[in-house]
Amino acid sequence: MAVKLLALSFLCCFFSHYITRVLSETQTGDGEMRASLPPRGWNSYDSFCWVISEEEFLQNAELVAQRLHAHGYEYAVVDYLWYRRHVKGAYVDSLGFDVIDKWGRMVPDPVRWPSSKGGNGFTDVAKKVHSMGLKFGIHIMRGISTQAVNANTPILDITTGRAYVEAGRQWHARDIGMKERSCAWMQNGFMSVNTKLGAGRAFLRSLHQQYADWGIDFVKHDCVFGDDLDIDEISFVSEVLRESMTPILYSLSPGTSATPAMAKDVSGLVNMYRVTGDDWDTWGDVASHFNVSRDFSAANMIGAKGLLGKSWPDLDMLPLGWLTDPGVNHGPYRTSNLNLDEQRTQMTLWSMAKSPLMFGGDMRKLDETTFNLITNPTILEINAFSSDNMEASDLHLFPYITAAEDPQIKTRVVTGQSRSLTDAGASGKRVLSLTSCKDEDAKGWSTKALGGGLEQVCWKEKSRSKHQAPFCLYKRKALLTSDEETMYNHQHQGKLHLSATSTMEFCLSASSNWKLTSKELKRGSFSRCRLHTNQMWELNDNGTLVNSYSGLCASVNPVKANAGPGGIRSWIATGRKGEIYVALFNLNPRKTVVSTNIADLAKALPSRHLTGDSCSGQEVWTGKDYVAIKSISVAVEAHGCALFVLNCS
């Protein structure tokens, strides 16, 4: 009997180890692909904002190892500002509170991270996380810190271990920092470095060599994608990580205004990339992800070729369980504002879209409901191993739907220091957004002469309506006021400010504060005119309007409804054992009956050669069994979903 129990124990341990290895996403150095499956782990941001301590982080990591690792969650990631002192006056965009080394590189705050003292960095924390069987990740910002530029620290040459020397002189932070390209949402914090300079490349190489020396397995690179695209820095960092002997997963964040066309330029350079702004625990934030996930699935971006493996569109972390608020200076204190139906909707969409799963709640107060949700075996199976994932609403897979009408879209007018598109006289039916300059939709801008020497830049409406007024902005030369700013005159020659009015009090900014929730207007914002490349534009002969900050182009498009007919969305996918997954989402504010015929599945999945006769299976959230059914009719709660696992003839 004892021998049998010992053998059973061995088999259980072996099976657990096997499942964990199968779900392992990072290249281990023996030739395996990085991110072969959507990465999965825990991130500190939703529960601790930026103020987490070493003790709190290790407590959470230990619980991830104990409770979530067997379910494929293998990363423990500390989010932003781990180098900022948690003292009076320090906040998200403060200046002068960061800890940097003599080479201008960020190092952990020794008060919050005591093991970092003596130049140890995150070495001890990484070792402890690795000893738990997990991988350790950190958040990093674009380029170089303003604090390092102000201190004019020398740049490390990792090939010599001394200050970088080129053309007979030593190079410093001020030589490579691009103040006009400061991070749009943290302008006092970080700016781009000039990657065309050997010194700029040397600085970035020294950063990532330091991370490798610490034992980092995952970097979340912020303020370089979406509105804040910096393709030069992404490309060089990707090159450094490709050459590194230490396998490091490469993630981009955030993705405000990201489009599939934009993502195609970076997907091969990284392993995951955010395609939204911050997702918080509001229904509006969850609902805003449906169009985005649909577009990236339709563009075949899910599981595309990435850095030494695959890449995955990232819908952001899961704000479930015990949380805090964005931008605050304290840790978790409240439960998620999403009700259970809304949480199930979020987990189901993230799963069907095969987004990385990064749990954000405090592990020390992980309740059983949340635990069961984020470890649901069907959800995790779909997330890791499903294929043919697509939104089916546009395919008219579910033609018969009882649903309320979509609410009218209203454009919010922003007062104070910024204004929305409606302030410039634009119709609420159009939205100004950024896209790849390779898109045909980006072409359509031209100059319109006005009296008194004034000119406008106008968008030629791609519409059959001859009565719709064109969208126009006032054209002005870029502002240059101080002696320091005039040094950029040559660099920005020919660049324009585009204003909402002829007085140019407000200028069009390409990048807005992505820390705002999805309820805020994030695109086409106007703010006080200033010298910053996110307000500088160039009109090309081919009709594109290029932003100097990101190199992306502006386009004007009609606003689309956030939902399909009646506020219903549907996704389908196939399983590795022949299953068919069908997810029905009710975006309506009231319970809605959703119905469809099984025969329509055959039309949506012609490669499966279904007869359309009947299917059997189960609805995941209720546990209800369905036998030999030819149609589905289910009442779905407001903001809820139904998830079917079907086996069809």
Side-chain angles (χ1 to χ4, degrees), residues 340-341 344-345 347-348 351-352 372-382 579-584 617-626 632 634 641-646:
L340 183 56
D341 288 307
R344 286 173 173 171
T345 291
M347 284 298 300
T348 304
S351 173
M352 294 294 285
N372 291 334
L373 182 63
I374 65 176
T375 61
N376 181 282
T378 303
I379 286 291
L380 299 185
E381 171 71 19
I382 295 172
E579 314 96 313
I580 297 176
Y581 303 112
V582 178
L584 307 177
Q618 186 179 73
E619 198 286 312
V620 172
W621 301 120
T622 62
K624 182 179 178 180
D625 292 321
Y626 291 78
I632 295 174
V634 59
C641 68
L643 175 60
F644 294 87
V645 182
L646 302 175

Coordinates of all heavy atoms in Angstrom, one line a residue, residues 340-341 344-345 347-348 351-352 372-382 579-584 617-626 632 634 641-646:
L340 N -19.5 39.9 -10.7 CA -19.0 38.5 -11.2 C -19.2 38.3 -12.6 O -18.4 37.7 -13.4 CB -19.6 37.4 -10.3 CG -19.2 36.0 -10.6 CD1 -17.7 35.9 -10.5 CD2 -19.9 35.0 -9.7
D341 N -20.4 38.8 -13.1 CA -20.7 38.6 -14.6 C -19.7 39.4 -15.4 O -19.2 38.9 -16.4 CB -22.1 39.1 -14.9 CG -23.2 38.1 -14.3 OD1 -23.1 36.9 -14.6 OD2 -24.1 38.6 -13.6
R344 N -16.3 37.5 -15.4 CA -16.4 36.4 -16.3 C -16.3 36.8 -17.8 O -15.6 36.2 -18.6 CB -17.7 35.6 -16.1 CG -17.7 34.8 -14.8 CD -19.0 34.2 -14.5 NE -19.0 33.3 -13.4 CZ -20.1 32.7 -12.8 NH1 -21.3 33.0 -13.4 NH2 -20.0 31.9 -11.8
T345 N -16.9 37.9 -18.1 CA -16.8 38.5 -19.4 C -15.4 38.8 -19.8 O -14.8 38.5 -20.8 CB -17.7 39.7 -19.6 OG1 -19.1 39.3 -19.6 CG2 -17.4 40.4 -20.9
M347 N -12.5 37.7 -18.4 CA -11.7 36.5 -18.5 C -12.0 35.7 -19.8 O -11.1 35.2 -20.4 CB -11.9 35.5 -17.3 CG -11.3 36.0 -16.0 SD -9.4 36.1 -16.1 CE -9.0 34.4 -16.5
T348 N -13.3 35.6 -20.2 CA -13.6 34.9 -21.4 C -13.1 35.6 -22.6 O -12.5 35.0 -23.5 CB -15.1 34.8 -21.5 OG1 -15.6 34.1 -20.3 CG2 -15.5 33.9 -22.7
S351 N -9.4 35.2 -22.8 CA -9.1 33.8 -23.2 C -9.3 33.6 -24.7 O -8.4 33.1 -25.4 CB -9.9 32.9 -22.4 OG -9.8 31.6 -22.8
M352 N -10.5 34.0 -25.2 CA -10.8 33.8 -26.6 C -9.8 34.6 -27.5 O -9.5 34.1 -28.6 CB -12.2 34.2 -26.9 CG -13.2 33.3 -26.2 SD -13.3 31.6 -26.8 CE -14.1 31.7 -28.3
N372 N -10.8 30.8 -8.4 CA -11.5 29.8 -9.3 C -11.6 30.4 -10.7 O -11.6 29.7 -11.7 CB -12.8 29.4 -8.7 CG -12.7 28.6 -7.5 OD1 -11.7 27.9 -7.3 ND2 -13.7 28.6 -6.6
L373 N -11.8 31.7 -10.7 CA -12.0 32.4 -12.0 C -10.7 32.4 -12.8 O -10.7 32.0 -14.0 CB -12.5 33.8 -11.8 CG -12.8 34.6 -13.1 CD1 -13.9 34.0 -13.9 CD2 -13.2 36.1 -12.7
I374 N -9.6 32.8 -12.2 CA -8.4 32.9 -13.0 C -7.7 31.6 -13.2 O -6.7 31.5 -13.9 CB -7.4 33.9 -12.3 CG1 -7.0 33.4 -10.9 CG2 -8.0 35.3 -12.2 CD1 -5.9 34.4 -10.2
T375 N -8.2 30.5 -12.5 CA -7.6 29.2 -12.8 C -8.6 28.3 -13.4 O -8.3 27.1 -13.5 CB -7.1 28.6 -11.4 OG1 -8.2 28.5 -10.5 CG2 -6.0 29.5 -10.8
N376 N -9.7 28.8 -13.9 CA -10.7 27.9 -14.5 C -10.0 27.1 -15.7 O -9.4 27.7 -16.6 CB -11.8 28.8 -15.1 CG -12.9 28.0 -15.8 OD1 -12.7 27.5 -16.9 ND2 -14.0 27.8 -15.1
P377 N -10.1 25.8 -15.6 CA -9.3 25.0 -16.6 C -9.8 25.2 -18.0 O -8.9 25.1 -18.9 CB -9.6 23.6 -16.1 CG -10.8 23.6 -15.2 CD -10.8 25.0 -14.6
T378 N -11.0 25.4 -18.3 CA -11.5 25.7 -19.7 C -11.0 27.0 -20.2 O -10.5 27.1 -21.3 CB -13.0 25.7 -19.7 OG1 -13.5 24.4 -19.2 CG2 -13.5 25.8 -21.2
I379 N -11.0 28.0 -19.3 CA -10.5 29.4 -19.7 C -9.0 29.2 -20.1 O -8.5 29.8 -21.1 CB -10.7 30.4 -18.6 CG1 -12.2 30.8 -18.5 CG2 -9.8 31.6 -18.8 CD1 -12.7 31.6 -19.7
L380 N -8.2 28.6 -19.2 CA -6.8 28.4 -19.5 C -6.5 27.6 -20.7 O -5.5 27.8 -21.4 CB -6.1 27.9 -18.2 CG -6.3 28.8 -16.9 CD1 -5.4 28.2 -15.8 CD2 -5.9 30.2 -17.2
E381 N -7.3 26.5 -20.9 CA -7.1 25.7 -22.1 C -7.3 26.5 -23.4 O -6.5 26.4 -24.3 CB -8.1 24.5 -22.0 CG -8.2 23.7 -23.3 CD -6.9 22.8 -23.5 OE1 -6.2 22.6 -22.6 OE2 -6.7 22.4 -24.7
I382 N -8.4 27.3 -23.4 CA -8.7 28.1 -24.6 C -7.6 29.1 -24.8 O -7.1 29.3 -25.9 CB -10.0 28.8 -24.4 CG1 -11.2 27.8 -24.3 CG2 -10.2 29.9 -25.5 CD1 -12.5 28.5 -24.0
E579 N -12.9 20.2 -30.1 CA -13.9 21.0 -29.5 C -14.2 22.3 -30.3 O -13.3 22.8 -31.0 CB -13.7 21.4 -28.1 CG -13.1 20.3 -27.2 CD -11.6 20.3 -27.1 OE1 -11.0 20.4 -28.2 OE2 -11.1 20.2 -26.0
I580 N -15.4 22.8 -30.2 CA -15.7 24.1 -30.7 C -16.1 25.0 -29.5 O -17.0 24.6 -28.7 CB -16.8 24.1 -31.7 CG1 -16.3 23.3 -33.0 CG2 -17.2 25.5 -32.2 CD1 -17.4 23.1 -34.0
Y581 N -15.4 26.1 -29.4 CA -15.8 27.0 -28.3 C -16.6 28.2 -28.9 O -16.3 28.8 -29.9 CB -14.5 27.6 -27.7 CG -13.5 26.6 -27.1 CD1 -12.3 26.4 -27.7 CD2 -13.9 25.8 -26.0 CE1 -11.4 25.4 -27.2 CE2 -13.0 24.9 -25.5 CZ -11.8 24.7 -26.1 OH -10.9 23.7 -25.6
V582 N -17.7 28.5 -28.2 CA -18.6 29.5 -28.6 C -18.8 30.4 -27.4 O -19.3 30.0 -26.4 CB -19.9 29.0 -29.1 CG1 -20.8 30.2 -29.5 CG2 -19.7 28.1 -30.3
A583 N -18.5 31.7 -27.5 CA -18.7 32.7 -26.4 C -19.7 33.7 -26.9 O -19.5 34.3 -27.9 CB -17.4 33.3 -26.0
L584 N -20.7 33.9 -26.1 CA -21.7 34.9 -26.4 C -21.6 36.0 -25.3 O -21.8 35.7 -24.1 CB -23.1 34.3 -26.4 CG -23.3 33.1 -27.3 CD1 -24.7 32.5 -27.1 CD2 -23.1 33.4 -28.7
G617 N -22.6 19.3 -25.5 CA -21.5 19.9 -24.7 C -22.0 20.6 -23.5 O -23.0 20.1 -22.9
Q618 N -21.3 21.6 -23.0 CA -21.6 22.2 -21.7 C -21.4 23.7 -21.8 O -20.5 24.2 -22.5 CB -20.8 21.6 -20.6 CG -21.1 22.0 -19.2 CD -20.2 21.4 -18.1 OE1 -19.1 21.7 -18.0 NE2 -20.8 20.4 -17.4
E619 N -22.2 24.4 -21.0 CA -22.0 25.9 -20.8 C -21.1 26.0 -19.5 O -21.5 25.5 -18.5 CB -23.3 26.6 -20.6 CG -23.2 28.1 -20.8 CD -22.5 28.9 -19.7 OE1 -22.9 28.6 -18.5 OE2 -21.6 29.6 -19.9
V620 N -20.0 26.7 -19.6 CA -19.0 26.6 -18.6 C -19.4 27.3 -17.3 O -19.2 26.7 -16.2 CB -17.7 27.3 -19.1 CG1 -16.7 27.5 -18.0 CG2 -17.1 26.5 -20.3
W621 N -20.1 28.4 -17.4 CA -20.3 29.2 -16.1 C -21.5 28.7 -15.3 O -21.5 28.8 -14.1 CB -20.5 30.7 -16.4 CG -19.3 31.3 -17.1 CD1 -19.3 31.8 -18.4 CD2 -18.0 31.3 -16.7 NE1 -18.0 32.2 -18.7 CE2 -17.2 31.9 -17.6 CE3 -17.4 30.9 -15.5 CZ2 -15.8 32.1 -17.5 CZ3 -16.0 31.1 -15.3 CH2 -15.2 31.7 -16.3
T622 N -22.5 28.0 -16.0 CA -23.6 27.4 -15.3 C -23.4 26.0 -15.0 O -24.1 25.4 -14.2 CB -24.9 27.7 -16.0 OG1 -24.8 27.0 -17.3 CG2 -25.2 29.1 -16.3
G623 N -22.5 25.3 -15.8 CA -22.3 23.9 -15.7 C -23.4 23.1 -16.4 O -23.5 21.9 -16.3
K624 N -24.3 23.8 -17.1 CA -25.5 23.1 -17.7 C -25.0 22.3 -18.9 O -24.3 22.8 -19.8 CB -26.5 24.1 -18.2 CG -27.8 23.5 -18.8 CD -28.8 24.5 -19.2 CE -30.0 23.9 -19.8 NZ -31.0 24.9 -20.2
D625 N -25.5 21.0 -19.0 CA -25.2 20.2 -20.2 C -26.2 20.3 -21.3 O -27.4 20.6 -21.0 CB -25.2 18.7 -19.7 CG -24.1 18.4 -18.7 OD1 -23.0 18.9 -19.0 OD2 -24.3 17.6 -17.8
Y626 N -25.7 20.2 -22.5 CA -26.6 20.3 -23.7 C -26.3 19.0 -24.5 O -25.2 18.7 -24.8 CB -26.2 21.5 -24.5 CG -26.6 22.8 -23.9 CD1 -25.9 23.4 -22.8 CD2 -27.8 23.5 -24.3 CE1 -26.2 24.6 -22.2 CE2 -28.2 24.7 -23.6 CZ -27.4 25.2 -22.6 OH -27.8 26.4 -22.0
I632 N -29.1 27.1 -30.1 CA -28.8 27.5 -28.7 C -29.6 28.7 -28.4 O -29.8 29.6 -29.3 CB -27.3 28.0 -28.6 CG1 -26.3 26.8 -28.7 CG2 -27.0 28.7 -27.2 CD1 -24.9 27.2 -28.8
V634 N -30.1 31.2 -25.0 CA -29.7 31.3 -23.6 C -29.9 32.8 -23.2 O -29.7 33.7 -23.9 CB -28.2 30.9 -23.4 CG1 -27.3 31.7 -24.3 CG2 -27.8 31.0 -22.0
C641 N -21.7 36.8 -19.9 CA -21.4 36.0 -21.1 C -21.8 34.6 -20.9 O -22.0 34.1 -19.7 CB -19.9 36.1 -21.5 SG -18.8 35.3 -20.2
A642 N -21.9 33.8 -21.9 CA -22.1 32.4 -21.9 C -21.0 31.8 -22.7 O -20.7 32.3 -23.8 CB -23.5 32.0 -22.5
L643 N -20.4 30.7 -22.2 CA -19.3 30.1 -22.9 C -19.6 28.6 -23.1 O -19.7 27.9 -22.1 CB -18.0 30.3 -22.1 CG -16.7 29.5 -22.6 CD1 -16.4 30.0 -24.0 CD2 -15.6 29.8 -21.6
F644 N -19.7 28.2 -24.3 CA -20.0 26.8 -24.6 C -18.8 26.0 -25.1 O -18.0 26.5 -25.9 CB -21.1 26.7 -25.7 CG -22.4 27.3 -25.2 CD1 -22.7 28.7 -25.3 CD2 -23.4 26.5 -24.7 CE1 -23.9 29.2 -24.9 CE2 -24.6 27.0 -24.2 CZ -24.9 28.3 -24.4
V645 N -18.7 24.8 -24.6 CA -17.7 23.8 -25.2 C -18.5 22.7 -25.8 O -19.2 22.0 -25.2 CB -16.8 23.3 -24.1 CG1 -15.8 22.3 -24.7 CG2 -16.2 24.4 -23.3
L646 N -18.4 22.7 -27.2 CA -19.3 21.8 -28.0 C -18.5 20.8 -28.7 O -17.4 21.0 -29.2 CB -20.1 22.6 -29.0 CG -21.0 23.7 -28.4 CD1 -21.6 24.5 -29.5 CD2 -22.0 23.1 -27.4

